[in-house]
Amino acid sequence: MQFTFKFPSINKLLLICLALVTVLLIAYFGQQSSIAQVRSNITVDFGQPATGITSMSGFLHGIDPTKPPDSSVKPLQPKLWRVGRLDVYDRVIASGAEFQLLVSDLWGYGSNPKGWPYQNYPAWEAFIRQLAQQNKGKKIIWDIWNEPDLKNPFWKGSREQFFETYKRAYKILREELGPSAVIGGPSISTYNKEYLTAFLDYCKANKLEVNFLAWHELNDTIILFVDDHVFDAKRNYQQSPFYKELKLQKIYVNEIVGELAQYQPGEILGYLYNLEYAKADGACRACWDTTGSKKVSNCFNNTLTGTVVPNTFEPRAAWWTYKAYADGVNSRVLSRSDNDRLVALASKSNPEGKAQVLLGYFDRNYSSATTVTLNLANLPALGIQSGQKVSLKLEKIPNNLEGAVQKLVTVKEEQISAGSGSLTYTIPNFNVHEGYLLTIGK
């Protein structure tokens, strides 16, 4: 038997192929769209004050005795400043910040003719003694050495040699300055529990105090774990009876915000939120090289660690982020987010007497925007009664990298009637790395 096959014409084949491709594309992009649709919910309770809040506004280096101007510094209300020079002491204290002196910066890292401390302990001890004698009466937090866990460039010796270096510095500072001097460390580059335990065990065995414990959080991929590290350090070290004789008073994360995140509002707010939530005692924004082809260190160009433009001192998005944070820290209220990469720092009163909600969205490995639904609860705590009109102003803090941001751009302003003491507010298309500031008034 002979079979005859009928083939469709070329035109029909093209139409069939096009139809199939269309169906597949619709299915593919429809699926992608549904995957990319992220919705986040945040509840702010203006009737629930957050207690025991300490500001995480602080800086590493970033100034000289006159630059940038006070008009750049004052709005950020720094509370901790970590520097390796003494000529800015008066300025730091006048800003309202604690002065943390990075002793190793004054000594140098290998380039000092005297070499590393472990190569000439008598010279190291003489240096510490002179430094202490010249600065008696000043309110200095003595941070002995920077990142001794990094052989390049900060420490060429062994761990044990650093411990010995700390011991010799501690004994002379205590001898010269008395029991009230605040001395600590080890200011390592990450939260390394094994290293911290070894350091504290050494100090305990040698009858040395560690009045503050410090480390750095600079890995922008693990912002979510910053609070866990502080909780862990409090539980295992600060609150442990085993280490009681160390007189460990405070926990400073004295460098935060990594190189990738240095200009990104969302990530900056992620660090600030998590450290504030864990009730650290202070934090300092780290400084990195600029991003252009001619790299310059933001540590030493008087830009408040890159938050303002060099020479002109125009604010960047990072500056506005710190300003909005500082504006609200003294009247913090409780907030809750169902998206752990979307943080909300809510406040009952900013300097203008208005409530605000500061929002940051961060994620290094995810690029989808989110739609945020804000539930603003307990409005009567703000003096806003049911049915009363509420003025809402939404401003974006853009992910503008090194570009100047003269002022925040208003996204929308509107008046909404408060329902039974609360209202719902939606922010669509909230992009990763950005921040938003919602101001609430009567």
Side-chain angles (χ1 to χ4, degrees), residues 240-278:
S240 170
F242 182 75
Y243 294 113
K244 186 177 181 181
E245 61 262 51
L246 298 184
K247 297 182 181 177
L248 178 50
Q249 302 160 21
K250 294 189 176 183
I251 290 176
Y252 294 125
V253 186
N254 55 9
E255 287 191 32
I256 65 169
V257 185
E259 187 172 14
L260 295 174
Q262 63 175 315
Y263 302 118
Q264 295 177 329
E267 275 73 3
I268 293 168
L269 289 169
Y271 279 102
L272 296 175
Y273 173 89
N274 280 285
L275 287 170
E276 184 183 295
Y277 174 72

Side-chain angles (χ1 to χ4, degrees), residues 112-162:
N112 190 314
K114 295 185 288 292
W116 298 92
Y118 55 83
Q119 294 173 318
N120 191 342
Y121 279 130
W124 170 247
E125 290 175 323
F127 166 78
I128 295 295
R129 192 174 300 279
Q130 183 181 42
L131 194 61
Q133 291 174 347
Q134 290 175 343
N135 292 281
K136 284 184 177 180
K138 293 181 178 177
K139 295 180 179 179
I140 293 176
I141 299 169
W142 297 87
D143 185 11
I144 304 302
W145 204 271
N146 182 60
E147 298 186 339
D149 58 324
L150 288 186
K151 287 191 176 295
N152 187 19
F154 295 117
W155 189 256
K156 299 295 185 186
S158 67
R159 181 185 294 187
E160 290 69 27
Q161 286 171 322
F162 163 65

Side-chain angles (χ1 to χ4, degrees), residues 379-380 383-390 417-422:
L379 293 176
I384 298 170
Q385 304 306 317
S386 298
Q388 187 175 348
K389 290 287 186 180
V390 182
S417 180
S420 56
S422 65

